[in-house]
């Protein structure tokens, strides 16, 4: 799990720092090539956003900016895909898709529940690449998005939810980034890789 907690200080990671960290990290998945699906000469990176959108009763919940965070991630993916440098000028260099990767985002509601979040992570990480084109439409059909395996898992919001979900994602070879889970327990590299 990559999160912003450090036992002595809180560090905000820039996109360049995260990219550098990912570039030097070992193979993200234990199965080579499992993180990107190549369709129509483009690699697709699926980003599941696993956060609470409702509380356990089903009422809307946004105490920590869940909806704003989803909007920011979706906008970032759109800008990266289009090479739109209107917010981050360096992204304009991607206008000709020089990196060869397209990003998509899908939201999953944890309803503040460890059980629901764990079930979602199991389903997300169990998807084989072959399921990406199982809906009968063209290989790049928008309906196929939710069936793709993740490149990285974004979330969860609470440390109590991130801890069990990151055990599963780590064992299955998928990195998980939680921007607001701050328990020092997540620094235990023997448990969370």
């Amino acid at each position: 799990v990559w999160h912003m907690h450090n036992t002595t200080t809180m560090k905000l990671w820039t996109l360049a720092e995260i990219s550098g960290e990912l570039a030097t990290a070992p193979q993200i998945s234990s199965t080579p090539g499992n993180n990107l699906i190549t369709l129509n000469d483009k690699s697709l990176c699926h980003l599941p956003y696993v956060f609470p959108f409702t509380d356990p009763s089903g009422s809307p919940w946004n105490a920590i900016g869940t909806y704003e965070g989803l909007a920011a991630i979706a906008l970032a993916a759109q800008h990266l895909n289009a090479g739109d440098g209107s917010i981050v000028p360096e992204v304009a260099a991607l206008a000709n898709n020089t990196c060869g990767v397209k990003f998509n985002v899908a939201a999953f509601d944890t309803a503040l529940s460890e059980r629901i979040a764990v079930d979602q992570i199991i389903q997300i990480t169990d998807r084989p690449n072959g399921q990406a084109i199982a809906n009968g439409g063209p290989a790049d059909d928008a309906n196929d998005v939710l069936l793709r395996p993740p490149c990285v898992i974004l979330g969860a919001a609470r440390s109590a939810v991130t801890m069990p979900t990151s055990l599963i994602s780590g064992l299955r070879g998928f990195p998980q980034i939680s921007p607001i889970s701050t328990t020092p327990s997540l620094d235990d590299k023997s448990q969370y890789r």
Side-chain angles (χ1 to χ4, degrees):
V1 175
W2 294 351
H3 53 98
M4 291 183 212
H5 182 266
N6 181 314
T7 54
T8 56
T9 61
M10 192 73 114
K11 179 181 183 352
L12 296 177
W13 291 57
T14 66
L15 182 58
E17 288 172 322
I18 292 172
S19 295
E21 191 72 26
L22 286 172
T24 60
Q27 171 71 32
I28 292 173
S29 175
S30 56
T31 306
N34 195 37
N35 300 86
L36 295 176
I37 299 172
T38 303
L39 300 171
N40 302 330
D41 297 325
K42 296 213 188 297
S43 293
L44 303 171
C45 179
H46 178 54
L47 303 171
Y49 182 80
V50 183
F51 275 79
F53 292 93
T54 60
D55 65 19
S57 73
S59 297
W61 193 81
N62 193 31
I64 56 171
T66 298
Y67 295 92
E68 294 85 351
L70 177 57
I73 295 294
L75 180 64
Q78 179 184 356
H79 281 217
L80 287 167
N81 290 341
D84 181 339
S86 61
I87 296 175
V88 179
E90 293 82 0
V91 173
L94 301 175
N96 296 324
N97 194 26
T98 55
C99 74
V101 176
K102 293 289 184 183
F103 300 90
N104 66 4
V105 179
F108 296 85
D109 181 15
T110 66
L112 298 171
S113 165
E114 292 89 340
R115 184 192 58 76
I116 290 171
V118 164
D119 185 50
Q120 289 171 340
I121 296 298
I122 290 170
Q123 290 179 36
I124 290 167
T125 59
D126 272 352
R127 296 180 182 138
N129 282 343
Q131 279 187 282
I133 55 174
N135 288 330
D140 58 357
D141 189 315
N143 293 326
D144 295 331
V145 169
L146 296 178
L147 296 176
R148 295 183 179 129
C151 292
V152 63
I153 297 166
L154 307 174
R158 296 174 42 236
S159 295
V161 175
T162 301
M163 291 171 68
T165 60
S166 64
L167 287 171
I168 295 164
S169 63
L171 287 170
R172 293 185 175 191
F174 296 100
Q176 184 170 337
I177 300 171
S178 177
I180 55 179
S181 293
T182 59
T183 181
S185 298
L186 288 168
D187 289 332
D188 181 355
K189 296 200 184 319
S190 70
Q191 292 294 314
Y192 306 99
R193 10 179 191 152

